[in-house]
Amino acid sequence: MTTVQASSAEVIDMERSIFAEQRSDRRKATLGTWAIRVVVLMAFLGGWYFVSHRGIVDPLFISTPEDVGRAFIDQLTDSGFWTDVRSTFSGAMTGLLIGASTGVLSGVILSRSETLNRAVGPFLTLLNSLPRPALAPIFILWFGLGMVPKALVAASMVYFVLLTITISALRGIDHDINLLSRSMSMSPWQRFVKIEFPSALPAIVGGLRLAAVYSVLGAVLSEMVGAYTGLGQRLVTMTNNFQVAESFAVLLAMGLMSMLLDSGISLFQKVAQKRA
């Protein structure tokens, strides 16, 4: 009995040491990641400061880091800026929801039927090849200068990303797992719900992170063509008035919006990977 207890204690101590080592490795990796990020950011800002203040590049074209920082802070105190942020974010999120849901649904349907996939494949390729800047004026002509055009442009960019990833993920399920599920007499619906979709979910959520960035780009693109409000329209106005620092501040706001969306979806991706 004493020997068994001693062996159990040794196993517990070994597990604790392994977990402690794993935590230490994760902390080191996190610190290393943030150190690289800080170095890259400082190098970028330092190079920008150098070329702008030394006259290597005319500040009229690239402004300076401190001017952009001040312009960004000024934007934060402007109520019109937050109206534009809400407009762009609403259009991007609406387009993301529409494009993602229809893209995943279409991917599931096409992955179940090879004949249907081959039949509609050329039409999907044709639609995907259409330039989005050409679609924006058409949507504006149809629906006016409101929320609908920017949501549709964003959805058109998101749809094909999720469609392609969903088809690839569902067809990439391990062949042995499919054989095992069929040998257990599982119905197609049971195989899809219990095996195929959970296995494909991490890849689909990973594609959703890319689609979130595209949704912001689509909404901004539509606003630049024509809109009442939005960061894209704000950017066009400022560049036309040669407000370079303010233009870079708006670009920074767009980038931060995409980063926040990506961070939120990445949390969902971790949950999906654990469940898978």
Side-chain angles (χ1 to χ4, degrees), residues 84-117:
D84 291 335
V85 169
R86 286 192 296 269
S87 179
T88 300
F89 184 78
S90 300
M93 287 303 298
T94 303
L96 179 62
L97 292 175
I98 295 174
S101 57
T102 55
V104 172
L105 180 61
S106 301
V108 170
I109 294 174
L110 293 179
S111 67
R112 312 298 293 181
S113 174
E114 181 64 27
T115 302
L116 181 61
N117 186 29

Side-chain angles (χ1 to χ4, degrees), residues 72 75-76 78-86 231 234 250 253:
F72 183 73
Q75 297 280 344
L76 296 179
D78 183 5
S79 60
F81 170 77
W82 291 108
T83 300
D84 291 335
V85 169
R86 286 192 296 269
L231 293 177
R234 192 179 189 89
V250 174

Side-chain angles (χ1 to χ4, degrees), residues 120-197:
V120 302
F123 301 104
L124 292 175
T125 302
L126 175 63
L127 292 174
N128 192 26
S129 64
L130 295 177
R132 301 311 185 271
L135 293 178
I138 297 176
F139 290 151
I140 292 173
L141 177 64
W142 290 348
F143 303 105
L145 299 172
M147 176 66 67
V148 177
K150 65 181 73 177
L152 289 178
V153 174
S156 68
M157 299 184 72
V158 171
Y159 173 80
F160 291 100
V161 174
L162 269 300
L163 172 68
T164 303
I165 291 178
T166 301
I167 294 176
S168 299
L170 290 175
R171 290 184 173 178
I173 306 299
D174 189 89
H175 181 65
D176 293 336
I177 295 178
N178 281 329
L179 290 178
L180 178 61
S181 64
R182 287 185 172 86
S183 67
M184 297 173 64
S185 300
M186 297 177 68
S187 66
W189 174 251
Q190 288 176 324
R191 289 200 305 270
F192 175 76
V193 173
K194 296 183 178 180
I195 295 178
E196 295 174 357
F197 192 74

Side-chain angles (χ1 to χ4, degrees), residues 8 43 50 158 160 169 209 213 229 242 253 261:
S8 300
F50 179 80
V158 171
F160 291 100
R209 293 182 61 182
V213 177
T229 58
F242 298 98
L261 281 174

